[in-house]
Every structure is written in C-alpha cells, then in structure tokens.
Amino acid sequence: MAINYIYPEFDVIRDPNRCITCRICERECSNGVHIYDADRKTLRADETKCVDCQRCVATCPTRALKIVKNTCALRENENWHENSIKEIFKQASSGGVLLSSMGAPNPLAVYWERILLNASQVTNPSIDPLREPMETRVFLGRKPSKITRRPDGTLDTTLAPQLELETPIMFSAMSYGSISYNAHASLARAAQELGIFYNTGEGGLHEDFYQYGAHTIVQVASGRFGVHEDYLNAGAAIEIKMGQGAKPGIGGHLPGAKIVGDVSKTRMIPEGSDAISPAPHHDVYSIEDLRQLVFSLKEATRYQKPVIVKVAAVHNIAAIASGIARSGADIIAIDGYRGGTGAAPTRIRDNVGIPIELALASVDKRLRDEGIRNDVSLVVGGSVRNAADVVKAIALGADACYIATAALIALGCHLCRTCQTGRCNWGIATQRAELVKRLDPDEGRRRLVNLLTAWRYEIMEIMGGMGINSIETLRGNRSMLRGVNMTSKELEILGIAHAGE
Amino acid sequence: MQREGQVRIPSGCAISAMISTTGARMTGETIVKSMIPMHDRSNGLGGGFAGYGIYPEYREFYALHVFFDDPSAQYECEKYLKEGYEIVKSESIPIRKIPEITDVPIIWRYFVAPLASVLSRLQLDEHEFVARTVTKINSQFRGAYVFSSGKNMGAFKAVGFPEDVGRFYRLEEYAGYSWTAHGRYPTNTPGWWGGAHPFALLDYSVVHNGEISSYDANRRFIEMFGYRCTLQTDTEVIAYIADYLLRRQGLTLEELASVIAAPFWSELDASESVESSSRAYLRKVFPSLLLTGPFSIVLGFTGGVMALNDRLKLRSMVTASNRDVHYIASEEAAIRAMDPDARNVYSPAGGEPVIIKVEEGAY
Ligand code: SF4
Ligand code: SF4
C-alpha cells in the first residue's frame, strides 16, 4: 500500500479512567472513528476518519472524550503553510478538484469586527426597550415613487406585494437534499412561529411543507429542480438564484447518493441520478433575459408575489444590482464571499467574490445615487453571525439579513465543514434516516426561535442605546457606525467615518 | 476649525411661535420677547426668526435672503441669479449694530421672479426651479448661503442670543400674521450664521428643538431627490422632508405628521379604519422618513403653522390661545411673555400634530 502522506488532523483522546465502555460513541459516529475491540473490551479510535464534529464528545455520558488538534506538525514555513502542502498531497493522490463546505475559513477581512456602534449620551436620550415600544417590523418589496389619490381624494393604498417581517432576519436558501427533512421542518416551523421566512433552496418543496407556504420563499435556480406552477404559488415570494457567495459563477452538484426517496420526488429527477445545476441559467445570458424571467414568474403567480433575485457579491456588484433593480425584481439578495455552502470547490470558495460588508455599502450607495433605492429592498447574507452583525448590516443600508450557517449552528451543527460527505452526525447535512432522526424538528424549531428571539432582544437593546425606537430609522443610518483599523479607502467604500472623527 | 456642514453638531434649543387666525399682522417685537424667559435654553450660538406676511408689497416675488462672506462671493452669485431670474429689488437687509452681534457677514435680500423663458426651456414649475437654485448656491457657491427663499415671508438668523438677534434685525419694523422663533444650544462652536435656525426652503420654515437619532437615514433618503444637506443639521433635513412630502408628493399636513412621527404598528394593527390603513400605507412607503429621537418642531408655511412632537414626546412643547392668536412654545413661560392672558394651555401628545391655519383669504 502506498504511504499516506497526511497525518490525521485530530487526536481522539479517551480517558480510560472515565470510559465505561458503553459504546455510545461507536454508534454515534457515522464516520466509523470509534471501534470496539472485543478481545480487550476497550474502544480504540481511527483518527484518520475523524472530522471533529464533536458528536461523540457531546454524547459520551462520562465526558471521557476530547478531540484536539493534532500537534504533529510539518516544519514551519511562512510561505508554504501546512494546509497548502496537505492540499498538494491530496491532489497528487486523487487527481481531483478539492471540495469543501461551509464558508471560507481563512482570516480574510471580517469588516463587521472593525465597525463599532454608537450610543446616546446627554444630548439625546437612550430609550429603554423594556419600558418603551421598540419596533423591528420591516416590509420588503418595491415602494411606489409617487403617491396617488383616488377621485375622492383619499390615498390609493395599493402596494406591490411585500414580505412583512417581524424581525429583519430570514433563513436563507438551503435545499432539501443538501440538508435533511428534519432540518427543513425545523426551519419551516420556526419561520412560521417567528413571523419570518425560510427558503427552500433549489431542491423543490416537499409536499409536507406546503402548509408553511405563507412563511416560505421558493427558489428557482439554474437546474429548475422541483419547479412547477403549484410550487411557485405555494410560497410567499419567489427567489431567482443567480449566484451564491461561496461559489460565484459555479453551479451545484448534489451527488446521486443523496438523490433518494423523497429527495428525488421533490426534485422531480430519478433516484440515484446526480442533480447538476448548470453554472448559468441557460435562459439568462443578459440583464434583458433576467427581466423576462422575472416577469414570466410574476405572470405565473399573477403578480401576487414579490420576486427576489439573489446574486453573489462579485467585483462589479454595484452595477449588477442597479441592473437588477431595473429588471422588475422587488428584492435583491446579495450573498457575500464568506457565505456557506453544502459543497463547493475549495479554490472557488476561498478566492472568488468580495466581502458582503463592502458589497452592501457600495450597492446601497449606487442605488441611492441613481435614486432607485426605494424601488427594491436589499437583503444580505454571508456571513451574518450575531445580532451586532445584523445591526451593522442594517445601518450600512440593508433592509434585512439572511442567515443560514448561524441557523444550522442553532440546530447543532458544529461547523466541521464536511457536509459534502453526507454523513453529518447532527442530522443536518445528511439523508441517512438513522442520522436524520437525531434532529428532532420540534426541538430544532424551539432552538431557532430562541436564537432569533435572543437576537431580537439584542437588536432592540442596541437600538435603544442609540435613541432609535424603530428599525426603519436604523436602516442606512451610517452615522451610527465608526471604523477602526481601516484605510481611508475602506472607510470611503463603507461610507463611514473613522472612530474618533 | 470645521464649519457647520463639514461636521455634525448636536444641539438643544428653545422654540416658539405665534399666529393670528384672522390674518392680523403683528410686529416682530412680541415673538422676540418670548425668547427672553427661555434664555438658558440657548447659549448664544444661534438664534433666529421667521415671519409670514411680512412683504405684502412684494408678495408675487420670491424673497431670497443671502449671507455672503465677501463681495466676490456676492458678485459670482448675482451673476448666476441673473441668468434665471428677474431681480426686482436688491438691497442689504437693515440691521442695528449692537455689541452682542459680531462677525457680521454681508446680509442681502433679493426679490426675484424666475424668467418664464427659462422655466419653459427646463420644463420646471417655478417652485422646483427656485428650490434647485437654492440647493445649487448652497452646495456649490463658495461663500454664499441662501437662508430664506419663500414668497411674502422671510427668515432672519445670526450667531448670538435670539433676543439680540431680534434687535439686530430690527424685527419690530416688520409685521406678519405668523412668527416662529428659535434659540440654539449647540454643543460646540462653529460660529457660522448659516447654521442658525430657522431653516427655510421656499415658504417652508422649520424651527426645531431636539436631536433626531434618525438623521443619517433621513438624509441619505432625501438626498436621492436632489436635496443636499449642506448643514448636517436636523432642522435642515426636516425642512427638506416637509418640502418633499408636501410639495412634491402632495401629502396633507396630517399625512406629513403621520410619516415623520408615525403611529406605532401596535396602534395601526389594532384599528381597521380607512385612516389607519392610509397611515400604515404611508409608513410602509416612507419608512426612511420617520424621525426618531427627541424633537419638537414648528413648521411654518404660507397661511399657517404646524407644531409636532416626536412620538414619545421626549421634548416639552405647549400651546395656548387668546381670541384669534395662537401660541406655541417649548415652555409656558415663553407664551406668558408674549401674552400674559393666553388661555387654553395644552400639551399636545407625542405625534399629535397641532395645525393652525389663517382663515382663507385673510393672508
Ligand atoms: S461514549 Fe464515552 S464512555 Fe461510552 S464508550 Fe465512548 S468514550 Fe467510552
Ligand atoms: S452541517 Fe453537519 S456536516 Fe455540515 S458542518 Fe455542520 S455538523 Fe458538519
């Protein structure tokens, strides 16, 4: 056998004094790390298979386990990082494109962390959210540029279709197929309870979930999997997925192994066949084509649903967004460089696209410069990690945020970044029945509701500190932001002043 | 030192207003008096007044009040004005030299009418044309600042305590059917006359007490429609919002109040009236024009005034009346200074507009 150049990344440390040989870890690990040695009546570990998902650690009744980073290291090199070397080992042995999942892990500029928020002192009172009303409701969709009146002089209050959100956060697209039935059920139920929306992703909508339609955004992606008239009319809005932050310019590939049972039925493709979404929509090669697609979807739904166009944050995003705003879209969703994925080529994920903070700032500015900001709403994601990120995004100009990774973490994801293997031990990124059932959809719903409830409290607290009692006046209110550790160019693009100014 | 407009300066303030519903013209002396008991609400860094009905003999013309830093700024500005306007009168605004008011710029007034040929070429109505002229001068002409641009009305302002500013401008020599006043307490000293209040555009003028937390959201929205917030003050952005919603969108005063001090959703949700659905509609369409944070404002316009508090009523404001004359002020003491016999003292609720209009035809 050829030598394996790669030494395992993690060490599985089992405290023999604590282990009671219950063999739970053996059953819990879908990767087959823990092996029972019947002769010695002990457990041993095959570290080569460990992905550090922490499932065994969490389920071991005696806390006998620890997964730690293996200290065995290659000789240090500031140019040839250990990871770069190991990737070469992998490619030299496989001859293939490297695959990864979840968002880019490299330390590239996280601008959220360099932006600080304002609070009132003396000249303007802060507002206590426990005593005073604090409003977080937003409406997404096109607003009229001119007020019109009926013949009797009253306001004509007809409005293009809107999405009403009690908190400006939605669950972004994750397809049924890339994540499990129970993960979808958790998201759908939570969205309903929270008065927000979840997103089907490109895998169609399972018939069981039509009941949550009023809180569902149905996606139309380049593969058009699962798209039919009832599907389009089932949701509250339709999202055309032009791109994704983790893999701009790239299509999707769900391996045949995951196209089983209901997944195949929902996607409307045969079992076992690979689901390949082409890189572009083959009917959208230009902005005029996009306009046609937007309007054909509107026709199909009798102009009752807002249409979202989702794009990845790429270099020319401001001009692209301006084109989309004029294409008839009601909402533009922008997915940043650090956005997550169920599977993407590593090189693409880690090198293509731009951070969402910069994309958002320049899109919001461009739409205002052109006087068309009120024609569309802006939703941003990739990656929004906590309530402060949400507040900063809204103050930069977003109407709402999309979250996905944060929602999965609430469901138990430990960010092991191996979703592409389909063996998620937390029952999320998997279709294996024995793993899926580990995620209880009602418990999942409860945790998601808790998470967003907590974020909402935090948002209200921050707003109150700024003396703002309605999220509408936080939106685009960039004077509430200051930058630290930034060049003047970065500040200029973000449209904010440096701290101390 | 940065000038106002290059830096945003929060400030506290005093405001007052008086109006005769029969259109009786009152001299500026009374409104000036109202500021004396509120002396401590200002700090000598800005005061001003707006009077309506003060130029009856020129009522057809826009009265432009302009500050110039030097004669060359005036020369450039006049050259530009002459391209688009007939100037029927050009004079320096009469002042009284007093030791309390220093660093006096050139203060000029022009009565002008847009040239019909220019309006038809640009296909603009005259209000829009004048508004664009003001925006252009204030954002692009160095050393020139138009601080009043309405018809048969005028704003008068300076750096100083308001009662001194009133004496300085000899307001006792003017008579109008309504007056508003402002004393300013900025937290820092830009010392620039343009930064004082009221802020006026066309015949809208705003005096304001408070510091809105929504400022940048409001500014960035309103600038989409050609306005330029050159002063970075709340008052300026509120005046533009009033102009945009009243003149350009055709909203009523009540509707304007409903946008800028929008009712809470909980209130709107609880009612199924036509009025609530109109107000909910306005809130959905103009979310970025909601004002949050403390404010009390008096909006002056031809034929009336509107007083409004923020929806939580974080700033004091009272109203009162005596026969045909109605009063509004930050403190009752200011009303008493104008009229010791004023009655019906009332403290409007947060977000409740108080609109007082002169009888039709009486102004
Ligand atoms: S789960 Fe813990 S106690 Fe049970 S066998 Fe594994 S390591 Fe030992
Ligand atoms: S979803 Fe599952 S496989 Fe993917 S990163 Fe999270 S824990 Fe790992």
Side-chain angles (χ1 to χ4, degrees):
Chain A
M1 198 180 93
I3 302 171
N4 187 352
Y5 284 15
I6 301 180
Y7 196 75
E9 221 177 322
F10 307 102
D11 251 346
V12 178
I13 298 180
R14 191 185 323 266
D15 182 343
N17 295 323
R18 286 186 171 226
C19 179
I20 52 171
T21 333
C22 67
R23 299 176 64 178
I24 288 177
C25 51
E26 185 190 10
R27 285 197 300 280
E28 290 291 328
C29 185
S30 63
N31 293 312
V33 171
H34 301 280
I35 303 151
Y36 182 62
D37 185 331
D39 297 341
R40 294 190 184 158
K41 301 217 172 352
T42 54
L43 282 110
R44 53 189 180 77
D46 177 358
E47 298 90 348
T48 58
K49 295 176 176 156
C50 181
V51 297
D52 195 14
C53 76
Q54 302 271 326
R55 179 77 190 183
C56 58
V57 173
T59 51
C60 169
T62 61
R63 283 190 303 277
L65 286 166
K66 243 194 285 192
I67 310 292
V68 296
K69 194 170 160 48
N70 200 320
T71 48
C72 172
L74 294 170
R75 185 160 189 176
E76 271 175 44
N77 188 319
E78 288 293 324
N79 178 33
W80 284 98
H81 299 286
E82 180 153 339
N83 206 28
S84 311
I85 298 170
K86 286 185 175 168
E87 284 175 347
I88 288 187
F89 287 158
K90 280 187 204 160
Q91 292 192 298
S93 96
S94 73
V97 168
L98 294 168
L99 278 185
S100 295
S101 49
M102 303 315 273
N106 18 346
L108 204 112
V110 179
Y111 284 94
W112 303 134
E113 291 170 6
R114 303 201 218 153
I115 297 176
L116 296 172
L117 297 165
N118 194 27
S120 307
Q121 298 287 288
V122 185
T123 56
N124 174 342
S126 42
I127 301 169
D128 182 349
L130 297 176
R131 288 164 202 273
E132 303 283 353
M134 191 56 71
E135 303 184 299
T136 56
R137 188 185 295 182
V138 297
F139 290 84
L140 306 181
R142 175 175 294 267
K143 311 294 187 294
S145 54
K146 186 78 194 138
I147 294 293
T148 53
R149 289 183 191 270
R150 302 194 189 96
D152 67 356
T154 56
L155 290 175
D156 179 356
T157 54
T158 41
L159 199 56
Q162 309 277 316
L163 288 182
E164 179 177 340
L165 296 175
E166 281 310 320
T167 309
I169 303 172
M170 304 189 285
F171 300 129
S172 66
M174 290 176 280
S175 71
Y176 173 46
S178 77
I179 61 169
S180 65
Y181 178 95
N182 283 357
H184 253 221
S186 305
L187 291 165
R189 291 177 199 181
Q192 183 173 50
E193 188 169 333
L194 290 161
I196 60 164
F197 300 87
Y198 86 110
N199 188 314
T200 61
E202 58 176 308
L205 181 62
H206 192 288
E207 56 189 19
D208 293 356
F209 300 146
Y210 275 68
Q211 57 175 307
Y212 305 108
H215 295 279
T216 306
I217 295 168
V218 295
Q219 202 183 55
V220 173
S222 61
R224 303 286 153 87
F225 300 120
V227 176
H228 52 93
E229 197 185 341
D230 290 347
Y231 168 79
L232 294 176
N233 281 293
I238 300 169
E239 178 172 275
I240 300 173
K241 177 193 176 185
M242 297 304 302
Q244 183 177 347
K247 41 182 172 178
I250 295 282
H253 180 180
L254 192 66
K258 281 189 172 176
I259 310 291
V260 290
D262 282 354
V263 176
S264 116
K265 207 166 125 206
T266 307
R267 292 207 174 212
M268 308 195 304
I269 52 172
E271 286 212 28
S273 65
D274 287 7
I276 298 187
S277 306
H281 284 247
H282 283 298
D283 52 358
V284 181
Y285 284 180
S286 70
I287 197 85
E288 312 86 83
D289 293 346
L290 175 67
R291 190 177 170 81
Q292 290 202 2
L293 179 57
V294 168
F295 280 97
S296 49
L297 293 172
K298 287 191 172 193
E299 284 287 338
T301 51
R302 285 167 294 281
Y303 295 85
Q304 298 297 307
K305 322 263 179 197
V307 171
I308 307 169
V309 174
K310 175 178 176 176
V311 281
V314 290
H315 298 181
N316 206 12
I317 188 68
I320 294 165
S322 152
I324 297 171
R326 295 170 204 278
S327 74
D330 300 279
I331 301 166
I332 304 176
I334 309 173
D335 195 16
Y337 160 83
R338 293 188 307 271
T341 174
T346 311
R347 293 289 167 252
I348 302 281
R349 184 195 67 175
D350 295 355
N351 293 282
V352 182
I354 64 171
I356 190 61
E357 301 90 328
L358 302 179
L360 162 60
S362 56
V363 168
D364 178 67
K365 178 169 189 303
R366 171 69 77 95
L367 297 181
R368 285 172 196 265
D369 287 350
E370 296 183 8
I372 54 175
R373 179 65 184 82
N374 231 21
D375 293 359
V376 281
S377 294
L378 269 185
V379 179
V380 299
S383 65
V384 173
R385 304 158 306 168
N386 52 49
D389 290 356
V390 173
V391 169
K392 290 168 190 176
I394 291 179
L396 278 177
D399 289 271
C401 292
Y402 256 153
I403 61 166
T405 304
L408 296 190
I409 294 172
L411 292 177
C413 163
H414 278 56
L415 226 49
C416 69
R417 311 202 306 258
T418 52
C419 317
Q420 76 275 14
T421 64
R423 286 193 298 268
C424 175
N425 274 320
W426 296 93
I428 299 167
T430 181
Q431 297 306 325
R432 295 191 188 187
E434 74 280 11
L435 298 177
V436 173
K437 73 171 197 276
R438 292 179 180 179
L439 177 63
D440 170 0
D442 271 315
E443 173 65 6
R445 170 194 55 86
R446 198 181 61 80
R447 294 181 63 85
L448 289 167
V449 170
N450 279 347
L451 177 75
L452 289 206
T453 305
W455 284 21
R456 179 156 182 267
Y457 284 135
E458 291 176 331
I459 292 169
M460 295 197 294
E461 196 98 54
I462 296 171
M463 280 167 46
M466 294 171 172
I468 285 177
N469 61 5
S470 168
I471 197 111
E472 291 128 297
T473 62
L474 176 65
R475 183 168 64 104
N477 197 336
R478 295 190 186 173
S479 66
M480 291 294 163
L481 305 175
R482 287 292 184 277
V484 285
N485 295 328
M486 281 197 234
T487 63
S488 24
K489 192 71 193 176
E490 288 168 315
L491 293 165
E492 177 195 321
I493 293 167
L494 289 168
I496 64 175
H498 199 277
E501 276 188 290
Chain B
M1 186 85 202
Q2 286 181 307
R3 199 179 229 201
E4 186 122 26
Q6 292 159 317
V7 56
R8 181 164 150 77
I9 298 156
S11 59
C13 304
I15 61 175
S16 70
M18 63 189 295
I19 178 168
S20 160
T21 52
T22 57
R25 291 174 69 209
M26 307 163 288
T27 72
E29 209 174 341
T30 315
I31 192 81
V32 175
K33 264 196 255 165
S34 74
M35 301 312 278
I36 296 168
M38 298 195 290
H39 183 87
D40 285 353
R41 283 180 166 269
S42 316
N43 63 359
L45 293 174
F49 302 84
Y52 287 80
I54 59 171
Y55 297 134
E57 60 280 28
Y58 291 103
R59 62 187 320 144
E60 301 306 320
F61 300 93
Y62 291 90
L64 305 183
H65 292 189
V66 194
F67 293 134
F68 295 111
D69 285 357
D70 49 57
S72 71
Q74 181 168 13
Y75 174 79
E76 288 301 323
C77 184
E78 285 184 2
K79 205 168 81 183
Y80 172 66
L81 278 177
K82 281 176 193 150
E83 291 168 12
Y85 295 85
E86 176 196 0
I87 300 177
V88 297
K89 191 174 174 74
S90 161
E91 63 183 358
S92 96
I93 295 183
I95 55 159
R96 176 182 285 129
K97 286 219 162 65
I98 55 172
E100 290 85 356
I101 305 285
T102 54
D103 294 327
V104 179
I106 299 170
I107 311 172
W108 215 262
R109 120 177 113 203
Y110 304 89
F111 291 98
V112 303
L115 297 172
S117 57
V118 177
L119 291 182
S120 71
R121 175 164 54 80
L122 297 174
Q123 298 193 331
L124 289 176
D125 71 54
E126 58 170 24
H127 277 344
E128 181 63 24
F129 180 67
V130 174
R132 289 190 190 185
T133 303
V134 173
T135 305
K136 174 144 183 181
I137 293 174
N138 291 354
S139 58
Q140 294 175 23
F141 280 68
R142 189 201 51 81
Y145 186 79
V146 182
F147 61 100
S148 186
S149 50
K151 285 181 175 175
N152 198 13
M153 62 80 68
F156 303 87
K157 57 192 190 179
V159 173
F161 281 101
E163 52 278 26
D164 300 328
V165 174
R167 271 199 303 140
F168 172 80
Y169 278 109
R170 299 158 53 165
L171 292 187
E172 70 280 2
E173 294 170 12
Y174 295 82
Y177 59 81
S178 90
W179 286 94
T180 65
H182 186 263
R184 194 168 185 225
Y185 200 131
T187 50
N188 138 353
T189 58
W192 184 50
W193 290 42
H197 305 183
F199 187 85
L201 178 69
L202 300 173
D203 72 329
Y204 299 118
S205 69
V206 175
V207 288
H208 154 258
N209 169 18
E211 186 197 339
I212 55 174
S213 52
S214 54
Y215 173 76
D216 216 30
N218 306 140
R219 175 188 69 82
R220 297 185 67 234
F221 184 84
I222 204 73
E223 287 197 342
M224 283 206 285
F225 309 104
Y227 301 97
R228 286 291 162 265
C229 295
T230 52
L231 293 179
Q232 297 203 31
T233 63
D234 299 346
T235 318
E236 178 189 33
V237 85
I238 295 169
Y240 293 153
I241 291 171
D243 180 63
Y244 174 72
L245 291 177
L246 297 173
R247 181 173 64 87
R248 289 172 60 179
Q249 291 288 358
L251 297 194
T252 62
L253 290 161
E254 289 84 356
E255 287 165 349
L256 163 71
S258 185
V259 169
I260 65 180
F264 288 99
W265 286 117
S266 53
E267 194 184 311
L268 294 171
D269 292 348
S271 161
E272 292 190 344
S273 67
V274 177
E275 197 203 333
S276 290
S277 74
S278 301
R279 300 180 89 189
Y281 170 80
L282 289 171
R283 194 165 175 191
K284 288 179 206 170
V285 175
F286 299 114
S288 299
L289 296 180
L290 173 67
L291 306 180
T292 52
F295 68 83
S296 57
I297 57 171
V298 176
L299 170 73
F301 51 91
T302 297
V305 294
M306 178 176 82
L308 183 69
N309 258 142
D310 65 87
R311 52 199 199 142
L312 293 181
K313 197 164 173 87
L314 296 169
R315 281 288 187 270
S316 60
M317 187 175 71
V318 288
T319 63
S321 64
N322 188 0
R323 288 192 294 275
D324 65 314
V325 185
H326 291 249
Y327 302 95
I328 301 160
S330 303
E331 295 179 8
E332 189 179 335
I335 294 178
R336 296 275 162 238
M338 292 187 275
D339 183 349
D341 301 325
R343 285 183 303 254
N344 310 321
V345 175
Y346 175 66
S347 178
E352 175 198 349
V354 175
I355 299 167
I356 304 159
K357 287 188 175 172
V358 180
E359 290 157 20
E360 209 48 56
Y363 55 89

